[in-house]
Amino acid sequence: MPLLVFSLSDGLRRLGVQSQETIHDVSQVFGVSDVATFLRRGLEVLDIENLRLASEPIDPADVVIHAPMHQPGKIICVGLNYHDHCREQSIDPPPYPILFSKFANAVADPNGTVTRPIATEMLDLECELAVVIGRRASRIGREQARDVIFGYTILNDITMRDLQLEDRQWLRAKSSDGFAPMGPVVVTADEVEDPHALRLRSSVNGETWQDSTTAEMIDVATVVAFVSRTITLEPGDVIATGTPAGVGHYQDPPRYLVGGDRLRCEIDGIGALDSVVVDEEPRADDHAAAAGVA
Ligand code: MG
């Protein structure tokens, strides 16, 4: 079932369960206001009928939706994890998953803004299926990976291609403030029959950029098991599983995001994650655009 974090006119974050056309506020029932805390406390949604009875239905039109995890312990990302994304770069898939990270400062709400830093001329998007970890996992095997996956959400791995290519360190290019819009819901794993049979798409101003399937993804279970060999995964951690072909940088000619662009990332069975790009305002004391490290 879809879990989400939302607020009403008072601005307080609440944990919700999406049920048909309504949202149920289950913050009081569970005593938590976000998905990561829900998971860290080992809570489970066992009976949706009881939750419906215990909470008033709320009209989705009355809520502001927030990222399901606004302070995740880890956001681990996988590079070059789609066959079609490797083909568009004329490279072979790597022999093992390429890992990098985004920090919690990158998390952004659905329907929010993505700020284009003045340090970049090459802002790009990457629609990704994100795994939400439900149980602690250390040195697990592939066959155990499904047991530790609580659910799935959408993450837009916003990237500055010029900085990524300049220093070959992906962290700087991908973890600016707000570079990980996430949501709108976490769909529990039991409702995702096959995470490798999901259509995922991205569009800019209504024009499709990416339209692929997670069948092109190399493997979710392998990635989870691989990470757990050396990094203990905790409830609420997020693994963004890479992006398919069609990002702006590899279009012909290349295309990049600018202020005013409307971004949408969609994955079947999860929903749509919308953002709007705004250009960062220069400051009098701004050194962000300076070349090099001097
Ligand atoms: Mg990515």
Side-chain angles (χ1 to χ4, degrees):
M1 99 196 30
L3 291 180
L4 73 163
V5 175
F6 69 97
S7 61
L8 298 170
S9 56
D10 60 10
L12 294 175
R13 287 172 191 270
R14 294 169 158 88
L15 181 68
V17 172
Q18 190 172 295
S19 171
Q20 290 149 1
E21 297 304 310
T22 61
I23 291 170
H24 289 266
D25 181 356
V26 296
S27 319
Q28 297 295 327
V29 177
F30 293 111
V32 298
S33 59
D34 74 288
V35 178
T37 310
F38 176 88
L39 295 172
R40 286 173 194 141
R41 293 194 186 166
L43 302 169
E44 292 180 63
V45 177
L46 295 174
D47 190 338
I48 183 64
E49 282 307 322
N50 279 340
L51 291 178
R52 285 198 188 105
L53 292 172
S55 61
E56 286 293 317
I58 297 168
D59 186 338
D62 296 334
V63 312
V64 173
I65 296 178
H66 301 283
M69 278 78 59
H70 68 283
Q71 288 287 331
K74 309 180 195 74
I75 306 172
I76 295 170
C77 305
V78 190
L80 303 174
N81 199 37
Y82 274 69
H83 291 288
D84 59 351
H85 189 44
C86 291
R87 282 197 298 275
E88 74 177 348
Q89 300 176 57
S90 303
I91 58 177
D92 293 326
Y96 48 83
I98 294 177
L99 304 181
F100 62 97
S101 61
K102 285 177 179 255
F103 299 127
N105 69 305
V107 173
D109 291 340
N111 307 310
T113 56
V114 169
T115 298
R116 182 173 76 113
I118 63 168
T120 186
E121 297 293 327
M122 296 184 177
L123 193 70
D124 206 350
L125 58 70
E126 298 187 354
C127 177
E128 308 203 0
L129 178 72
V131 169
V132 179
I133 298 297
R135 295 184 194 167
R136 177 173 286 188
S138 172
R139 308 202 299 269
I140 62 170
R142 251 192 106 257
E143 65 285 355
Q144 298 164 287
R146 287 286 180 95
D147 296 336
V148 305
I149 296 175
F150 172 76
Y152 300 92
T153 189
I154 306 170
L155 189 147
N156 189 349
D157 178 16
I158 299 287
T159 303
M160 299 182 282
R161 298 293 178 204
D162 34 9
L163 274 66
Q164 183 184 22
L165 296 168
E166 189 177 85
D167 64 10
R168 301 278 167 187
Q169 301 172 55
W170 295 3
L171 174 70
R172 184 174 69 120
K174 287 172 171 279
S175 198
S176 283
D177 299 347
F179 269 27
M182 190 193 302
V185 298
V186 176
V187 174
T188 47
D190 60 299
E191 293 194 355
V192 180
E193 192 172 326
D194 182 358
H196 294 95
L198 302 173
R199 185 181 179 194
L200 74 173
R201 287 162 286 172
S202 68
S203 64
V204 178
N205 302 322
E207 182 184 343
T208 299
W209 277 24
Q210 297 174 284
D211 187 352
S212 186
T213 162
T214 52
E216 290 280 343
M217 188 199 300
I218 290 168
D219 187 42
V220 166
T222 296
V223 167
V224 173
F226 179 78
V227 173
S228 84
R229 285 185 196 171
T230 49
I231 301 171
T232 299
L233 291 166
E234 300 285 356
D237 286 349
V238 174
I239 301 176
T241 59
T243 205
V247 298
H249 186 69
Y250 294 104
Q251 294 183 31
D252 184 16
R255 300 164 79 181
Y256 302 104
L257 305 173
V258 295
D261 282 345
R262 290 174 290 107
L263 317 182
R264 169 165 281 198
C265 295
E266 289 179 85
I267 301 182
D268 284 357
I270 301 177
L273 172 64
D274 292 325
S275 313
V276 175
V277 178
V278 296
D279 290 325
E280 191 172 54
E281 294 291 328
R283 294 196 320 250
D285 62 341
D286 208 331
H287 294 259
V293 294

